[in-house]
């Protein structure tokens, strides 16, 4: 059964897990980094998704490390490893239909990495691309979503955020935006009160004459069953 959502001024997308999937590449790099520092890889890897590299590394409280050098190592390795970076099903066609001044990407990746991954997945970077270096605090802080909305000329509360990870969902909520959760790249179920879509084949887009964007989900998903 189709489920229409309200019309929004703009769509704000997370990148990894939402427009593209780069889980395998990211986990290869972070596994190497964790092994270099003697971390429990199995426990560590689930914590790296959806947040900035600098925040992930800082949380480990490792003694005597050069934080900037460690971040640079991870970012360089991730930019060089694009094997398996592909779009979420239907994402390329979906964003091509959006007016260029009505969508943005807000990612925890660094600028060079974000651009490389988007291009590897066949998506042209949008006019507004907010990356890790643009904000003082990463997700779940809402700063990135507020910044993207302002750059487009709108309030975050009048935008729809597309997310896949808990930190990003919290950021969208804190920004006052409506949120839809993309589940295509998730390896574990997520319980959420927000509408969900498996991929962009589940969504029908309409662009009004004044540029506002409407989304109809082609089938309802019970969050309790997700």
């Amino acid at each position: 059964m189709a489920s229409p959502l309200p019309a929004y001024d703009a769509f704000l997308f997370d990148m990894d897990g939402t427009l593209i999937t780069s889980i395998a590449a990211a986990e290869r790099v972070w596994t190497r980094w964790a092994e270099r520092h003697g971390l429990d890889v199995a426990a560590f890897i689930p914590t790296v998704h959806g947040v900035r590299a600098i925040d992930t590394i800082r949380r480990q409280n490792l003694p005597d490390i050069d934080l900037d050098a460690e971040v640079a190592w991870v970012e360089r390795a991730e930019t060089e490893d694009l094997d398996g970076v592909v779009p979420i099903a239907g994402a390329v066609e979906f964003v091509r239909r959006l007016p260029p001044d009505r969508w943005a990407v807000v990612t925890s990746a660094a600028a060079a990495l974000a651009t490389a991954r988007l291009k590897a997945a066949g998506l042209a970077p949008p006019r507004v691309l907010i990356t890790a270096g643009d904000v003082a605090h990463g997700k779940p802080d809402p700063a990135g979503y507020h910044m993207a909305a302002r750059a487009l000329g709108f309030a975050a509360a009048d935008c729809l955020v597309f997310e896949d990870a808990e930190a990003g969902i919290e950021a969208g909520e804190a920004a006052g935006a409506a949120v839809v959760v993309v589940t295509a790249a998730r390896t574990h179920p997520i319980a959420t009160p927000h509408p969900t879509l498996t991929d962009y084949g589940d969504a029908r887009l309409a662009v009004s004459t004044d540029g506002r964007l409407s989304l109809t989900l082609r089938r309802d998903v019970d969050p309790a069953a997700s």
Side-chain angles (χ1 to χ4, degrees), residues 118-186:
L118 286 169
K119 289 181 177 178
L123 286 100
R127 292 180 182 176
V128 176
L129 175 60
I130 306 300
T131 63
D134 294 319
V135 294
H137 303 286
K139 300 173 185 177
D141 191 282
Y145 282 119
H146 282 303
M147 185 179 296
R150 285 196 302 269
L152 292 171
F154 305 113
D158 296 321
C159 298
L160 178 63
V161 163
F162 291 72
E163 269 287 356
D164 73 304
E166 285 82 353
I169 293 168
E170 291 178 24
E173 293 170 342
V179 176
V180 62
V181 179
V182 181
T183 62
R186 290 193 61 87

Side-chain angles (χ1 to χ4, degrees), residues 191-212:
T192 176
H194 301 293
T196 63
L197 60 131
T198 303
D199 57 45
Y200 294 90
D202 282 349
R204 185 169 66 248
L205 171 68
V207 182
S208 69
T209 54
D210 64 358
R212 301 195 82 210

Side-chain angles (χ1 to χ4, degrees), residues 75 79 82 109-118 129 131:
E75 291 177 351
T79 303
L82 300 174
L113 176 59
T115 300
R117 282 183 174 169
L118 286 169
L129 175 60
T131 63

Side-chain angles (χ1 to χ4, degrees), residues 183 186 188-196 198 219-226:
T183 62
R186 290 193 61 87
H188 301 287
I190 182 171
T192 176
H194 301 293
T196 63
T198 303
R219 57 177 178 268
D220 288 324
V221 179
D222 179 2
S226 298

